[in-house]
Amino acid sequence: MVLSKIRHRHLVSLIGYCYERSEMALVFEFMEKGTLRDHLYTPKEESGKSTSVSGLSWNRRLQLCIDAAKGLHYLHTGLGGSIIHRDVKSTNILLDVHYVAKVADFGISRLGPLEQSHVSTEVKGSFGYLDPEYFRCLQLTKKSDVHCFGVVLLEVLCARPAIDNSLPRQQVNLADWGMSCLMEGELHKIIDPFLVGKINSNSLSRYGETVEKCLKECGVDRPNMADVLWDLEYALQLQHTAVPEQSHEGSNTDVSNNLPLPGIRRLPSHSIAMSSEDEIGSDANIERSSTNPSEVFSQLRMEDAR
């Protein structure tokens, strides 16, 4: 029911569901360009060694990060509630045909009560992204998503996985290595070779500050997603200009065609209705989804589909 109400331009939309003939499935919109990771590097298990494959410009990477930040901000503040994704990573950020990024895979997300600052729960997530505070205290907060997103920001900059055991010990964990380089003022030494000489120094500086804030040890010291979004948009602006940087006061093999599919039930249209209070303010330029689920769903031709 929660998923059926989520409609935002930067969140992958749920189209329908199946619970028939021992088949259980959720049908989401198709994202033609795959995952963000696909456009950054080839993982070790596929190539024998993690290698950068990205041809994405810095502008494009920043825009993809901004898109994902908008989606997470909506999860944290929209729907009159608070949804914590709990598994933010580069493989859960998908790109459509126009290279618009959308956050996906809410399989282990949690809906937190408004009156509570955290949700006590068993640890779930992906190694290399997990919030250390969440791991220690078993208290999940929206700042846990912020930490995971900080690791994604480093992935985007460095074009390497969060964990790479083929590297020297101090470089295995991307978050630890990235923070170490930030503390030593050497962030420029770890960026994707494709980007060398192509990033405005002010833009890189603001981006690095954003990463550093997201990866703070204590959740209370991390910014919320609105501030992260502001910083990323500013980093993009700095990339386009040569103006001095200013401070921000508020910043802290496909076999599917051969398988018989059971009936897919289309979600009722009233389930996606949203009140005006669910819309995010225009300050962050956050929009609800313009995706038309019926256009995507019409391509599924099967018995009992509706």
Side-chain angles (χ1 to χ4, degrees), residues 116-127:
Q116 294 184 11
S117 61
H118 66 270
V119 179
S120 296
T121 178
E122 62 179 311
V123 174
K124 289 186 178 181
S126 298
F127 188 57

Side-chain angles (χ1 to χ4, degrees), residues 59-75:
N59 285 349
R60 175 75 76 177
R61 297 190 203 200
L62 281 174
Q63 188 58 58
L64 294 175
C65 292
I66 289 169
D67 291 350
K70 288 179 179 180
L72 287 171
H73 181 259
Y74 179 77
L75 283 180

Side-chain angles (χ1 to χ4, degrees), residues 65-232:
C65 292
I66 289 169
D67 291 350
K70 288 179 179 180
L72 287 171
H73 181 259
Y74 179 77
L75 283 180
H76 290 176
T77 61
L79 293 174
S82 176
I83 299 176
I84 304 174
H85 189 286
R86 206 157 46 151
D87 197 21
V88 178
K89 55 185 178 180
S90 59
T91 52
N92 283 341
I93 298 174
L94 308 183
L95 280 57
D96 70 9
V97 68
H98 301 296
Y99 285 90
V100 173
K102 304 187 183 188
V103 179
D105 196 352
F106 308 96
I108 61 173
S109 60
R110 287 294 298 267
L111 181 61
L114 286 176
E115 65 276 9
Q116 294 184 11
S117 61
H118 66 270
V119 179
S120 296
T121 178
E122 62 179 311
V123 174
K124 289 186 178 181
S126 298
F127 188 57
Y129 298 87
L130 278 175
D131 171 12
E133 187 175 61
Y134 170 38
F135 186 80
R136 290 194 308 267
C137 306
L138 305 184
Q139 294 185 346
L140 181 69
T141 72
K142 289 180 285 188
K143 299 298 183 71
S144 299
D145 281 352
V146 172
H147 180 276
C148 296
F149 190 66
V151 180
V152 172
L153 293 180
L154 278 177
E155 276 188 275
V156 170
L157 178 65
C158 305
R160 56 145 290 186
I163 298 293
D164 190 340
N165 292 311
S166 68
L167 295 173
R169 183 176 179 180
Q170 69 273 18
Q171 300 178 17
V172 169
N173 186 294
L174 179 58
D176 291 344
W177 186 42
M179 285 295 283
S180 175
C181 292
L182 280 166
M183 295 298 99
E184 297 173 3
E186 297 183 340
L187 183 62
H188 63 283
K189 294 184 178 181
I190 68 173
I191 67 175
D192 181 1
F194 178 79
L195 296 176
V196 172
K198 301 176 183 178
I199 305 179
N200 179 292
S201 59
N202 287 329
S203 178
L204 180 60
S205 176
R206 174 50 63 123
Y207 190 86
E209 291 173 6
T210 306
V211 171
E212 184 179 353
K213 288 183 288 186
C214 289
L215 297 180
K216 291 286 187 181
E217 188 74 14
C218 299
V220 294
D221 297 328
R222 301 172 198 149
N224 55 41
M225 285 308 304
D227 289 330
V228 174
L229 175 57
W230 193 99
D231 283 336
L232 291 173

